[in-house]
Amino acid sequence: MSQPQKIQIFDTTLRDGEQSPGASIAPEKKIIIARQLARLGIDVIEPGFAVSSPGEFAAVQQIARELQQVEIAGFARAVKADIDAAVQATQDAARRRLHLFISSSDIHLNHQLRKSRDEVVQIAREMVAYGKQFVNEIEFSAMDASRSGREFVIELVEAVISEGATIINLPDTLGYAMPNEMASLFRSVRKEARGGDTVRYSAHCHNDLGLAVANSLAAIEAGATQIEVTVNGIGERAGNCSLEELVMAIETRKDALGAETGIRIGEIYETSRIVSRTMNFPIAYNKPIVGRNAFQHESGIHQDGLLKNRSTYEIMDPAAMGISRSMIILGKHSGSHAIKHRLEEYGIETTEEQLKSIYGRFKEVADGQKIVTDDQLIQMAGDLTQTRPDPYALIDLQVHAGTQRARSATTTIRNNERGTDHSYTAIGEGPVEAVIGAISQAIPAEIAFEDLELHSLSTGEGAYGEAVVSIIHSGKRYRGTSIHKDVILASAQAYISACNQAIMTAGRAREEDHAGGAKESRRILR
């Protein structure tokens, strides 16, 4: 069998991705994302549009200087001032390219550029030649290529190749093309353009019709060896080809595609979270790969199959991508097998009769609020089995907030192992910070609060809010969930739930290590 074709991943999260309405990034935060992109294994990073502002220029310059292991692309219109800024900002990169673009469709030429085809070809020639003085690698993009006349695209590509362009990008700028049309475009240009077999090809697809990944895969099958992507698929309008979707499509179906990437898939989820948090741009629940529901299952049939063998209802392993969340969501469609499995994860053993009673109460709660949190399930089990397996419980919470004072919180926390209650007080810039500070005083473990998500589960003044809290303990991430009409209380309960999970997991690990050590000692003695 022939070796898979290596596909370069060109990331434009920091340039095209930042053009998403409401998703701008402060220049000093761009370097944070760029570092993570390097850890992810991105081949080429496009850090921004250097000519657009002094802050943008400085950000591109810093990334080019620091990330010496990644190729840096300087983005520029076919304008000398843009090229000069891009060249200067990237001059300290170990490897760099100039990425030039100009429109090629008659729609753009007539209504935006107001130039003839001959004028555009001449501008493209001159600017590629000008850029070639400074860099060896020049990527040329024929913007809106998928809506351009095929003959003109070929003429334009021939012109820039003759002036030294080394990479030809054929963008589906408006997300208009069908996969067969993208494949045809690449095949035609590669075959018919003079010098077309001497350059590399790249695809830059937008997602207006939801076809960005499909069109990018079609381009690969037609000879493209580079795909331009953004993390979480962010970008103009409906966004760009999603990095995580494309990479995992290639990873999962590499035999069918005959392709592979150099992406470290274990960094995918962390990269997605960093971009989402830094840009204040939430991820849709049903977003493939990184969405909250991507590897979560509520249907009892699916849950039963999943517990027997993960491959029954999953084609990818979430753990391989760094996704450390439960695969099963407990809701009104869940079966008793899933309930039993979740309780066992917390070390709670039940008889058949107890499980039946717990399941009946579970169904009553699930009918009213869609999903049931682990904390609620543990409480149900505790009430019916006369146990409280979770180490800590929130007994009381008082929060004071206002415009003229610091926010303060007082909590009463029960230590279930000792059977004692103690109260703690803390202040913070916001009520949630104060609440977390107060609870943290009660829990003697090194736990780092990472993230809080708040979601409304219904409408109106009496809506339930869902709080999802992520923490880090001993290098592992834990998530706690709680539902309440009071979102501050829900946040507190979710935080305690996450802490309980971390403490109980660490405790079980110690018990298993101890048991293993005892067995080994007995074996040696024999």
Side-chain angles (χ1 to χ4, degrees), residues 64-78:
R65 286 174 175 172
E66 180 175 327
L67 301 182
Q68 295 288 295
Q69 73 274 37
V70 183
E71 186 175 355
I72 304 297
F75 183 72
R77 295 169 295 185

Side-chain angles (χ1 to χ4, degrees), residues 128-183:
V128 170
Y130 179 71
K132 196 69 174 179
Q133 301 175 76
F134 309 108
V135 297
N136 293 322
E137 290 276 24
I138 291 189
E139 177 176 339
F140 176 80
S141 289
M143 188 162 70
D144 207 18
S146 61
R147 296 197 302 165
S148 303
R150 187 71 55 87
E151 297 78 9
F152 180 59
V153 171
I154 291 172
E155 179 186 354
L156 188 57
V157 167
E158 286 179 344
V160 297
I161 290 175
S162 69
E163 297 296 339
T166 55
I167 303 165
I168 300 299
N169 182 38
L170 302 176
D172 184 27
T173 305
L174 274 296
Y176 178 75
M178 294 289 111
N180 64 306
E181 294 170 339
M182 282 299 287

Side-chain angles (χ1 to χ4, degrees), residues 354-371:
Q354 287 173 332
L355 180 62
K356 185 176 179 180
S357 297
I358 293 169
Y359 188 57
R361 187 174 296 185
F362 167 87
K363 283 289 191 179
E364 291 176 6
V365 175
D367 275 339
Q369 63 179 42
K370 297 185 180 180
I371 64 173

Side-chain angles (χ1 to χ4, degrees), residues 403-469:
T403 57
Q404 304 297 323
R405 66 171 70 182
R407 286 73 177 168
S408 64
T410 299
T411 62
T412 300
I413 306 296
R414 175 166 296 162
N415 184 317
N416 284 313
E417 182 179 350
R418 298 176 181 175
T420 57
D421 295 353
H422 293 284
S423 295
Y424 306 88
T425 300
I427 60 173
E429 293 186 14
V432 172
E433 183 182 359
V435 168
I436 299 304
I439 295 172
S440 297
Q441 296 176 49
I443 300 176
E446 292 186 8
I447 291 173
F449 182 92
E450 183 187 40
D451 197 18
L452 166 66
E453 301 173 27
L454 291 173
H455 310 283
S456 177
L457 298 182
S458 53
T459 58
E461 295 178 356
Y464 280 92
E466 179 193 29
V468 182
V469 169

Side-chain angles (χ1 to χ4, degrees), residues 375-393:
D375 196 55
Q376 289 174 310
L377 181 63
I378 290 172
Q379 185 173 346
M380 294 175 198
D383 292 343
L384 290 168
T385 61
Q386 303 301 309
T387 62
R388 289 297 298 170
D390 45 329
Y392 297 94

Side-chain angles (χ1 to χ4, degrees), residues 86-295:
V87 168
Q88 186 178 353
T90 61
Q91 65 182 348
D92 295 326
R95 291 180 294 122
R96 64 169 173 167
R97 72 174 63 165
L98 185 60
H99 183 193
L100 295 177
F101 76 95
I102 194 167
S103 292
S104 60
S105 69
D106 288 337
I107 297 172
H108 282 202
L109 269 58
N110 295 334
H111 301 289
Q112 184 180 23
L113 293 183
R114 299 184 185 277
K115 294 185 183 297
S116 68
R117 286 182 168 185
D118 288 343
E119 288 176 308
V120 167
V121 170
Q122 186 59 31
I123 292 170
R125 277 186 178 277
E126 292 176 357
M127 292 303 98
V128 170
Y130 179 71
K132 196 69 174 179
Q133 301 175 76
F134 309 108
V135 297
N136 293 322
E137 290 276 24
I138 291 189
E139 177 176 339
F140 176 80
S141 289
M143 188 162 70
D144 207 18
S146 61
R147 296 197 302 165
S148 303
R150 187 71 55 87
E151 297 78 9
F152 180 59
V153 171
I154 291 172
E155 179 186 354
L156 188 57
V157 167
E158 286 179 344
V160 297
I161 290 175
S162 69
E163 297 296 339
T166 55
I167 303 165
I168 300 299
N169 182 38
L170 302 176
D172 184 27
T173 305
L174 274 296
Y176 178 75
M178 294 289 111
N180 64 306
E181 294 170 339
M182 282 299 287
S184 176
L185 174 63
F186 275 85
R187 289 193 181 101
S188 295
V189 173
R190 290 180 63 217
K191 181 179 179 180
E192 299 174 30
R194 282 173 295 184
D197 58 349
T198 65
V199 295
R200 292 181 285 152
Y201 288 86
S202 177
H204 179 111
C205 299
H206 279 260
N207 205 38
D208 297 68
L209 294 176
L211 294 171
V213 174
N215 283 335
S216 297
L217 293 174
I220 289 173
E221 290 188 309
T225 56
Q226 174 181 282
I227 303 296
E228 305 188 6
V229 299
T230 59
V231 177
N232 299 333
I234 60 173
E236 292 274 12
R237 304 177 314 280
N240 291 4
C241 177
S242 164
L243 181 152
E244 56 280 355
E245 293 176 33
L246 177 85
V247 167
M248 290 312 299
I250 294 174
E251 175 70 19
T252 305
R253 302 304 311 277
K254 63 175 62 175
D255 291 341
L257 292 167
E260 64 182 7
T261 73
I263 295 298
R264 303 179 186 98
I265 64 173
E267 294 289 340
I268 283 178
Y269 185 58
E270 184 62 23
T271 306
S272 171
R273 288 175 60 84
I274 288 174
V275 169
S276 177
R277 290 200 303 264
T278 304
M279 291 187 168
N280 297 314
F281 209 75
I283 301 169
Y285 278 11
N286 63 334
K287 173 79 167 64
I289 315 302
V290 294
R292 177 177 170 182
N293 292 349
F295 295 99

